[in-house]
């Protein structure tokens, strides 16, 4: 921790908003004007739009994350959680990964905790579900899917085989549609190396309570995406929810029941629950109540942006949409972070602050290799709608340029370039999740009874 007497700007969260806001503040700040401190339980930022491609093996998992200390060399980066904030004393309680919690004073506060998976009390979900919010989950999903193919190929039990080759995805937004598209591609490619498994042996199920998928790209492209996935053999059930999945037995409320070893949950997000302990004004859904300047309502030293903030969408309201709020996506998060950084500097210096206003520029989604949808907004009325390979190129171009730092941009494009000439890797590294298991089995003490039996057998052989 710093012992400086300079004012401290505390950034709670090192995700997309936290990273970009801290970079912007450091860039605009005069030398010695303030100390920027970033607190996050992870020492890296995850570029979440790349998680489906990381799960499919199109991008190395190391290239999906950005190390905070490398990108923010002039900031304090503390690995831990802000477990509480005392607004009256302007003190945050930081709980590090090890050791006791301690208090950290601040003068200005940036809330950038982001969101967590939105779940429901569905029996079996906590034990069986796999999320897609972090790179650990994406790589875990990849290893898990490939392990299911290994399991199906090596068993003679038809029930075990059927369960291993059934994949259920809950949620038809960007995360769900992109993940099922990428994983279906991965499984289809991997099956070529298993003589006893074909694509026809696998079953992919996509479930959503809404009446459409991919609502972010509009009804026309969403319908095309739905038909495209169905042509690839994905069963899509709309206006349908999951009642339970105990021990992998999935029960849908439309009457369908299937056994599956893979249940991927991407049914939306909700603001980080830790916000309720910060003493900040919250909206009806748990977001921080934030003004158009990105200042938290009722304060002059706290700012918020991204998925954990309820921010008025001035562009939509100017177009006549009442009570419009900025949607939680990377497009808004990037631009909000820059405005937030500028406003923190302005607030610190006593200058007026700017409103955040950004019109939607469209949306892109990849549905597997060479497949995607894209909607590009030009002006107030012109919309360009693309699908198939060209939309997939747009998806990769946009996100390849949007990922933070040139280091990561170059590495991601290098992964994609190599993928044009080399076949997809289909190796499962599931043992990485328990790397000490084999060593433990070799090193653990032998029970006395077993040791005595081994000694007796050795003596018998010697005689």
């Amino acid at each position: 921790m710093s012992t400086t007497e300079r004012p401290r700007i505390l950034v709670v969260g090192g995700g997309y908003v936290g990273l970009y806001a801290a970079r912007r503040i450091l860039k605009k700040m005069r030398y010695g004007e303030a100390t920027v401190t970033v607190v996050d339980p992870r020492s890296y930022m995850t570029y979440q739009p790349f998680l489906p491609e990381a799960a499919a093996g199109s991008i190395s998992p190391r290239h999906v994350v950005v190390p905070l200390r490398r990108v923010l060399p002039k900031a304090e980066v503390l690995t831990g959680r802000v477990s509480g904030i005392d607004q009256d004393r302007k003190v945050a309680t930081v709980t590090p990964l090890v050791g006791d919690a301690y208090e950290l004073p601040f003068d200005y506060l940036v809330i950038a905790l982001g969101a967590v998976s939105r779940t429901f009390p569905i029996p079996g979900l906590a034990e069986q579900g796999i999320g897609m919010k972090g790179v650990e989950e994406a790589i875990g999903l990849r290893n898990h899917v490939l392990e299911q193919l290994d399991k199906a190929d090596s068993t003679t039990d038809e029930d075990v085989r059927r369960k291993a080759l059934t994949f259920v995805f809950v949620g038809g937004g960007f995360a769900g549609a992109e993940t099922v598209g990428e994983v279906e591609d991965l499984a289809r490619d991997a099956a070529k190396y298993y003589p006893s498994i074909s694509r026809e042996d696998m079953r992919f199920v996509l479930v959503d309570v809404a009446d459409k998928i991919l609502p972010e790209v509009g009804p026309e492209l969403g319908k095309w995406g739905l038909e495209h996935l169905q042509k690839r053999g994905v069963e899509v059930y709309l206006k349908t929810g999951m009642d339970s999945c105990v021990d992998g037995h999935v029960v849908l409320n439309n009457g369908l029941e299937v056994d599956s070893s893979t249940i991927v949950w991407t049914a939306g997000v909700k603001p980080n629950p830790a916000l309720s302990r910060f003493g900040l004004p919250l909206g009806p859904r748990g977001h921080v109540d934030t003004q158009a300047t990105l200042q938290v309502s009722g304060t002059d030293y706290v700012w918020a942006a991204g998925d954990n903030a309820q921010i008025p969408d001035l562009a939509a309201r100017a177009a006549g949409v009442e009570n419009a709020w900025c949607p939680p996506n990377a497009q808004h998060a990037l631009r909000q972070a820059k405005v937030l950084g500028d406003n923190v500097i302005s607030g610190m210096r006593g200058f007026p602050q700017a409103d955040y206003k950004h019109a939607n520029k469209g949306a892109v989604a990849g549905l597997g290799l060479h497949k995607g949808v894209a909607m590009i907004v030009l002006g107030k009325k012109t919309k360009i709608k693309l699908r198939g390979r060209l939309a997939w190129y747009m998806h990769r171009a946009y996100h390849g340029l949007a990922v933070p730092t040139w280091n990561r941009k170059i590495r991601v494009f290098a992964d994609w370039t190599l993928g044009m000439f080399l076949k997809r890797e289909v190796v499962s590294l599931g043992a990485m999740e328990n790397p000490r298991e084999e060593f433990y089995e070799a090193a653990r003490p032998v029970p006395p009874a077993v040791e005595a039996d081994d000694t007796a057998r050795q003596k018998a052989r010697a005689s």
Side-chain angles (χ1 to χ4, degrees):
M1 294 192 319
S2 173
T3 58
T4 179
E5 297 294 331
R6 295 177 292 183
R8 172 179 276 114
I9 303 170
L10 176 60
V11 181
V12 183
Y16 212 108
V17 171
L19 171 64
Y20 266 104
R23 290 183 74 188
R24 188 76 169 187
I25 292 169
L26 290 167
K27 179 180 179 180
K28 297 284 185 175
M29 195 172 61
R30 292 189 292 263
Y31 177 77
E33 188 174 6
T35 298
V36 177
T37 302
V38 180
V39 182
D40 195 276
R42 294 181 174 88
S43 61
Y44 53 84
M45 169 266 192
T46 303
Y47 189 70
Q48 293 179 347
F50 279 158
L51 292 181
E53 289 205 50
S58 298
I59 301 177
S60 169
R62 295 189 306 275
H63 303 162
V64 177
V65 298
V66 180
L68 295 177
R69 289 183 172 83
R70 179 173 180 174
V71 179
L72 303 171
K74 296 181 181 180
E76 292 180 341
V77 177
L78 306 179
T79 305
R81 299 180 184 275
V82 174
S83 53
I85 294 177
D86 188 329
Q87 298 289 344
D88 296 330
R89 297 168 53 218
K90 287 190 177 182
V91 169
T93 301
V94 178
T95 304
L97 293 182
V98 294
D100 298 330
Y102 56 87
E103 291 189 338
L104 185 70
F106 63 85
D107 298 273
Y108 306 96
L109 182 63
V110 175
I111 304 297
L113 279 177
V116 299
S117 295
R118 181 184 62 190
T119 59
F120 303 99
I122 298 173
L125 179 59
E127 296 78 14
Q128 302 293 324
I130 302 172
M132 277 293 285
K133 285 291 292 177
V135 67
E136 303 89 351
E137 292 172 316
I139 303 311
L141 174 60
R142 170 182 168 77
N143 290 331
H144 176 82
V145 169
L146 294 175
E147 284 178 353
Q148 300 314 302
L149 300 185
D150 290 338
K151 185 187 298 184
D153 185 56
S154 60
T155 185
T156 57
D157 188 319
E158 190 59 34
D159 291 336
V160 172
R161 175 184 169 90
R162 187 182 304 109
K163 185 175 181 179
L165 296 180
T166 300
F167 308 93
V168 177
F169 297 77
V170 183
F174 268 166
E178 289 188 318
T179 302
V180 70
E182 293 286 356
V183 171
E184 194 274 340
D185 257 4
L186 168 66
R188 184 187 294 270
D189 284 350
K192 299 174 184 177
Y193 303 97
Y194 294 86
S196 67
I197 300 176
S198 67
R199 173 59 183 88
E200 288 69 28
D201 298 321
M202 305 179 203
R203 186 178 185 182
F204 286 83
V205 178
L206 177 63
V207 181
D208 199 301
V209 295
D211 60 354
K212 56 182 174 294
I213 69 169
L214 293 170
E216 301 90 344
V217 296
E220 183 181 334
L221 291 177
K223 181 180 179 182
W224 183 89
L226 170 63
E227 294 173 349
H228 168 78
L229 291 176
Q230 289 174 330
K231 288 179 181 177
R232 290 166 59 180
V234 178
E235 300 174 35
V236 182
Y237 298 98
L238 301 178
K239 299 181 181 180
T240 303
M242 184 170 69
D243 287 340
S244 69
C245 56
V246 177
D247 296 329
H249 182 68
V250 177
V251 180
L252 305 182
N253 60 16
N254 65 353
L256 180 68
E257 298 187 23
V258 296
D259 288 322
S260 173
S261 296
T262 309
I263 302 169
V264 183
W265 182 269
T266 61
V269 296
K270 64 180 180 181
N272 196 306
L275 296 172
S276 62
R277 301 193 296 269
F278 290 177
L280 299 170
L282 302 180
R285 294 183 296 168
H287 300 80
V288 179
D289 186 12
T290 308
Q291 302 173 16
T293 59
L294 306 181
Q295 276 190 313
V296 175
S297 298
T299 72
D300 59 1
Y301 63 94
V302 186
W303 291 261
D307 294 357
N308 65 184
Q310 176 182 276
I311 302 169
D313 190 340
L314 298 184
R317 295 187 181 192
V321 182
E322 297 182 2
N323 297 322
W325 306 97
C326 294
N329 57 37
Q331 182 181 152
H332 278 287
L334 170 60
R335 290 164 174 81
Q336 287 170 3
K338 293 180 179 179
V339 174
L340 186 151
D342 291 344
N343 282 351
V344 169
I345 295 295
S346 298
M348 188 168 56
R349 296 174 182 172
F351 296 148
Q353 300 188 37
D355 288 341
Y356 172 74
K357 184 177 182 179
H358 171 68
N360 180 30
K361 299 298 183 184
V364 292
L367 299 174
L369 204 59
H370 305 146
K371 301 171 280 286
V373 291
M375 180 184 66
I376 305 168
V377 180
L378 300 175
K380 295 183 178 181
K381 296 183 179 180
T382 305
K383 293 183 179 180
I384 300 176
K385 300 176 182 179
L386 305 173
R387 57 194 187 187
R389 184 181 289 262
L390 185 56
W392 177 77
Y393 284 135
M394 290 294 300
H395 160 75
R396 282 201 162 182
Y398 175 80
H399 287 298
L401 294 175
V403 66
T405 78
W406 280 103
N407 180 298
R408 286 300 179 266
K409 296 181 201 295
I410 293 172
R411 291 178 184 274
V412 166
F413 278 106
D415 284 343
W416 287 338
T417 302
L418 289 174
M420 296 170 59
F421 304 100
L422 303 176
K423 293 183 178 180
R424 187 198 306 260
E425 287 288 350
V426 292
V427 177
S428 169
L429 297 178
M432 291 177 62
E433 298 170 20
N434 298 289
R436 296 190 63 253
E437 183 174 357
E438 186 173 344
F439 180 81
Y440 174 77
E441 290 295 328
R444 68 175 178 173
V446 179
V450 176
E451 186 175 14
D453 289 344
D454 289 343
T455 302
R457 282 194 291 268
Q458 291 174 3
K459 290 181 178 179
R461 293 193 193 100
S463 61

